[in-house]
Amino acid sequence: MRMIGIGSIAFAVILLSDAFFCLFPTSSRNSAMALPNEVDPPLETKPLHEGLTIEETGDLEADLVVVSSLIEFDPSNASLFQWRALIYGQLQRYEQSVADFSSAIRLVPNDPDNYYFRSYMLAKLGQLEQAIDDLTETQRLDPDNANAFAERGELRARMDDCDGAISDLSEALKIRPEFGFALRHRADCYALTGNSGNAIGDYSRLIDLLPEEPSLYLMRGKTLLSEGLHSEAIGDFSTLIELRPQHPSGHYNRGRAHLQRKDYESAISDLTKAIELAPSDENSFRERARAFDELGRHQAALSDFSRSLELNPQNELALIGRGFLHQEIGMHDQAIKDFTSVIELKAGSPGVFEGRGLSYLSQEEWHLAELDFNASIELDPSHPQPYFNRAMLNQKRGNLGDALKDLAFCIELDAGFHSALYERAAIFLEIEEVSLGKEEISKAIALQPVEPRYRHLLARLQLKSGDYEAALQEIEAALEDSPENVSLWGLFAWSLATVPKKELRDGERAVEIARRTLRQQPDTPALLEALAAAYAELGDFDRAVATQQNALSIGAKEQLQETESQRHRLKLYESRMPFRLE
């Protein structure tokens, strides 16, 4: 055996330790780039130089000196350049590693290992396309190299070419069906592209191979959750918790699963545990806030959203969640601030502009609301809700023609948008286009047959068109479906007292219904007006006048605008005359 000496010290080195082989195996086909616990076949080493044995020193810099001297001694030996390239790689001197592999390739252009190892160093330098080219050459020289397919697939995934990645990873799995690295990356690519079924299948195969690997239960659970398979996802997260009880991700994700299936108390329990394990995790506070909000525990929700934002002021989802919560509880100034913060982070989605627009609308900031609804529409013209909101704005402004156009856009985008049909019918009633109103509300009722508001509006349209008997029948039928609906009872009392056809009127029943309904909802102007009309129908004009005056007085306190028709009815009662629909 010939030893290589430097100075007076004899050095005998092995260039690669066991740990180094794990990173850079001598044979690319036997690469150990795989999940923990996956064992590849034993590595085979190649001789550096005939008659030369290299033994271990444990000092990579010393090893580098030795091999460099060997290269000076034998500059045509490709294996020496390969070994030095690997040492440079372990020292993270990737550019020099690439240069040495290139030298080895010039000397031995048909050795696939050099292309394979150089691809790794190129990837470390961020030169992913060149790394992919080297792996392609590896495959050309060694068509059965599963690692080359798998690692090219992984690089393509990093370049957002999931389709190409899946193709390469599938080729790797044809060669090695239980190749954990390829299965894991293909599963991740399937999940990213929305192919959840295949992703779950690959994660399940991995779990069969590595049943104690917690990350696999996490990834499969998250994919199951994305498909709405809450119970199955909870099962995976529970296994993760058993394997890693002190790791917060199991409790966090199981809490999210409980939240999605509306088990809010269980969600709060798991998320609280996640916070105990990781008190600086902003996302656990944010998700627990959502659960508190769903339970109506608004102050607790606000506290958690705010804590999430203390930990990360740029947590967009926490800002959005707190913004909508502020809006829900009527704190529109604070809602506007939260939505504006999201927009300033350049994260303004259509929903954020829409949310801020609704708060502006509630504050009667018409112009600002319109700007936000327009921005939402510009960002996503295919979404019907902003058109609906802008229609409500135009309706409040009295721009009924523009409101009708926007509502038509809603219905064009979503034929099942029954609220838009209802609002169009209401506008048609207001502008006395009764037949068009009936047409629209009939469509809404076909979509939502027992919605009391829709039945109420249909009856009003029938009254307006003079179809009094049909109107009374519609109200009675609606009350069978919604017997607790105050508005329907009020309209019933009003109709029994005011329809022109004597045979349909019933003043006594109207008084009884109006009084009973007022006990449920006292001091309601519309119910008081129905009672006043019923008193007038019975000839009790003193009570009719007093009740109508009371209705107008309460309406004024509630800042309801007094209408000409209300004043007209009061004058009729003062003149000892009942009111009749026309």
Side-chain angles (χ1 to χ4, degrees):
M1 178 177 71
R2 183 155 57 94
M3 302 292 294
I4 301 298
I6 297 181
S8 61
I9 303 175
F11 286 88
V13 297
I14 276 184
L15 294 181
L16 301 181
S17 67
D18 289 342
F20 193 56
F21 272 120
C22 289
L23 289 174
F24 308 110
T26 304
S27 171
S28 64
R29 190 176 303 189
N30 293 326
S31 170
M33 291 184 183
L35 290 174
N37 301 324
E38 183 181 12
V39 179
D40 275 333
L43 299 173
E44 297 176 359
T45 59
K46 295 191 290 185
L48 282 181
H49 191 273
E50 185 178 354
L52 175 67
T53 299
I54 296 183
E55 299 178 357
E56 181 176 9
T57 69
D59 183 343
L60 286 173
E61 292 290 350
D63 296 347
L64 189 61
V65 170
V66 170
V67 179
S68 295
S69 68
L70 288 172
I71 289 172
E72 289 181 11
F73 174 76
D74 188 0
S76 63
N77 190 322
S79 294
L80 291 172
F81 282 104
Q82 184 187 65
W83 287 117
R84 189 171 70 175
L86 291 170
I87 295 173
Y88 279 135
Q90 192 172 8
L91 291 168
Q92 298 182 19
R93 292 158 66 175
Y94 300 119
E95 289 183 356
Q96 290 164 292
S97 180
V98 167
D100 270 358
F101 278 126
S102 297
S103 296
I105 288 167
R106 281 194 296 273
L107 291 167
V108 184
N110 293 323
D111 184 350
D113 285 351
N114 288 317
Y115 294 99
Y116 176 81
F117 292 133
R118 189 174 69 174
S119 75
Y120 180 88
M121 307 305 169
L122 287 166
K124 284 290 187 181
L125 291 168
Q127 299 175 29
L128 301 188
E129 290 185 1
Q130 294 92 324
I132 286 172
D133 289 342
D134 270 0
L135 289 167
T136 301
E137 185 64 15
T138 304
Q139 290 162 358
R140 186 185 71 80
L141 295 168
D142 186 3
D144 293 328
N145 191 321
N147 284 339
F149 279 110
E151 290 173 30
R152 189 174 71 175
E154 189 269 339
L155 291 178
R156 283 179 164 164
R158 284 163 62 182
M159 296 178 71
D160 296 326
D161 178 12
C162 279
D163 289 338
I166 289 168
S167 175
D168 274 346
L169 294 162
S170 298
E171 289 298 320
L173 288 163
K174 288 178 184 176
I175 300 167
R176 286 176 57 190
E178 294 187 351
F179 191 175
F181 177 89
L183 273 172
R184 175 59 183 268
H185 283 285
R186 190 175 71 171
D188 292 344
C189 285
Y190 278 138
L192 282 171
T193 55
N195 195 336
S196 299
N198 283 342
I200 291 165
D202 278 354
Y203 288 131
S204 298
R205 286 174 63 187
L206 278 165
I207 287 169
D208 289 340
L209 293 170
L210 300 167
E212 300 299 315
E213 175 54 44
S215 67
L216 299 176
Y217 295 97
L218 174 63
M219 295 307 299
R220 188 174 69 175
K222 290 169 74 172
T223 308
L224 288 164
L225 189 58
S226 72
E227 290 296 294
L229 299 170
H230 304 123
S231 297
E232 294 87 342
I234 287 168
D236 272 356
F237 297 139
S238 297
T239 303
L240 171 57
I241 291 167
E242 290 173 11
L243 292 168
R244 293 289 187 274
Q246 297 305 308
H247 199 283
S249 62
H251 290 285
Y252 170 74
N253 284 286
R254 192 170 69 178
R256 289 177 58 236
H258 286 310
L259 182 59
Q260 286 191 23
R261 72 169 183 179
K262 301 182 179 180
D263 183 356
Y264 302 121
E265 293 291 356
S266 296
I268 290 168
S269 176
D270 262 333
L271 292 164
T272 299
K273 183 64 177 178
I275 289 167
E276 289 174 7
L277 294 169
S280 61
D281 177 32
E282 76 234 38
N283 295 320
S284 294
F285 283 102
R286 183 195 68 222
E287 295 302 294
R288 190 173 70 172
R290 292 177 57 208
F292 281 135
D293 185 23
E294 293 291 348
L295 290 173
R297 296 167 63 180
H298 295 142
Q299 287 307 312
L302 278 177
S303 176
D304 269 2
F305 276 132
S306 297
R307 178 59 182 148
S308 177
L309 289 164
E310 286 172 13
L311 292 165
N312 178 9
Q314 296 187 342
N315 188 319
E316 297 159 15
L317 293 176
L319 281 167
I320 292 168
R322 190 174 70 174
F324 280 111
L325 177 55
H326 278 139
Q327 188 175 85
E328 182 183 353
I329 61 179
M331 298 176 66
H332 292 289
D333 285 338
Q334 295 302 318
I336 288 166
K337 286 181 182 178
D338 282 339
F339 293 134
T340 300
S341 294
V342 178
I343 291 165
E344 287 172 351
L345 290 171
K346 303 193 183 303
S349 64
V352 171
F353 281 102
E354 187 181 341
R356 190 173 70 171
L358 287 169
S359 282
Y360 282 135
L361 183 62
S362 295
Q363 294 188 320
E364 299 187 358
E365 295 278 1
W366 309 130
H367 178 62
L368 294 174
E370 182 177 30
L371 290 175
D372 274 352
F373 295 147
N374 289 345
S376 181
I377 289 167
E378 186 176 344
L379 287 167
D380 184 5
S382 67
H383 187 51
Q385 190 64 46
Y387 294 100
F388 181 83
N389 294 330
R390 193 170 66 181
M392 296 302 95
L393 168 62
N394 281 318
Q395 199 171 5
K396 287 179 180 291
R397 284 171 148 178
N399 299 334
L400 300 184
D402 290 337
L404 284 170
K405 288 178 185 176
D406 273 341
L407 292 167
F409 274 123
C410 289
I411 297 160
E412 183 179 332
L413 293 168
D414 181 1
F417 201 139
H418 48 83
S419 294
L421 290 163
Y422 168 80
E423 295 296 342
R424 275 176 62 84
I427 292 173
F428 284 133
L429 175 60
E430 188 173 347
I431 63 177
E432 300 189 354
E433 292 282 356
V434 176
S435 60
L436 292 175
K438 283 183 179 180
E439 184 180 334
E440 298 291 75
I441 200 61
S442 296
K443 293 176 187 175
I445 290 171
L447 294 166
Q448 292 287 315
V450 296
E451 171 55 52
R453 289 187 309 138
Y454 299 175
R455 308 285 290 278
H456 185 282
L457 182 55
L458 175 58
R460 290 177 61 202
L461 285 159
Q462 289 168 330
L463 290 171
K464 187 71 175 178
S465 66
D467 197 352
Y468 305 117
E469 189 170 358
L472 288 167
Q473 289 173 353
E474 178 63 30
I475 296 168
E476 288 193 276
L479 282 166
E480 287 182 12
D481 293 324
S482 307
E484 303 301 319
N485 189 275
V486 169
S487 295
L488 283 171
W489 283 114
L491 183 61
F492 196 23
W494 170 261
S495 303
L496 289 170
T498 60
V499 293
K501 292 185 177 181
K502 183 177 180 180
E503 64 273 19
L504 297 177
R505 291 199 302 272
D506 189 338
E508 289 184 1
R509 190 179 181 197
V511 167
E512 184 273 324
I513 290 171
R515 283 176 170 172
R516 173 163 45 83
T517 310
L518 277 163
R519 285 195 292 272
Q520 293 177 254
Q521 197 167 305
D523 298 332
T524 303
L527 293 175
L528 288 167
E529 288 201 64
L531 180 58
Y535 283 140
E537 166 61 16
L538 292 176
D540 192 345
F541 293 107
D542 291 339
R543 283 187 175 179
V545 169
T547 305
Q548 183 72 7
Q549 288 174 333
N550 189 23
L552 295 176
S553 174
I554 292 171
K557 289 177 184 176
E558 295 178 1
Q559 297 184 328
L560 300 175
Q561 188 174 359
E562 188 176 304
T563 66
E564 184 178 341
S565 60
Q566 289 172 320
R567 291 190 294 271
H568 170 67
R569 288 194 291 276
L570 178 59
K571 288 178 182 177
L572 281 176
Y573 305 152
E574 289 171 339
S575 302
R576 324 300 283 179
M577 294 176 62
F579 173 74
R580 297 283 179 264
L581 291 171
E582 297 177 357

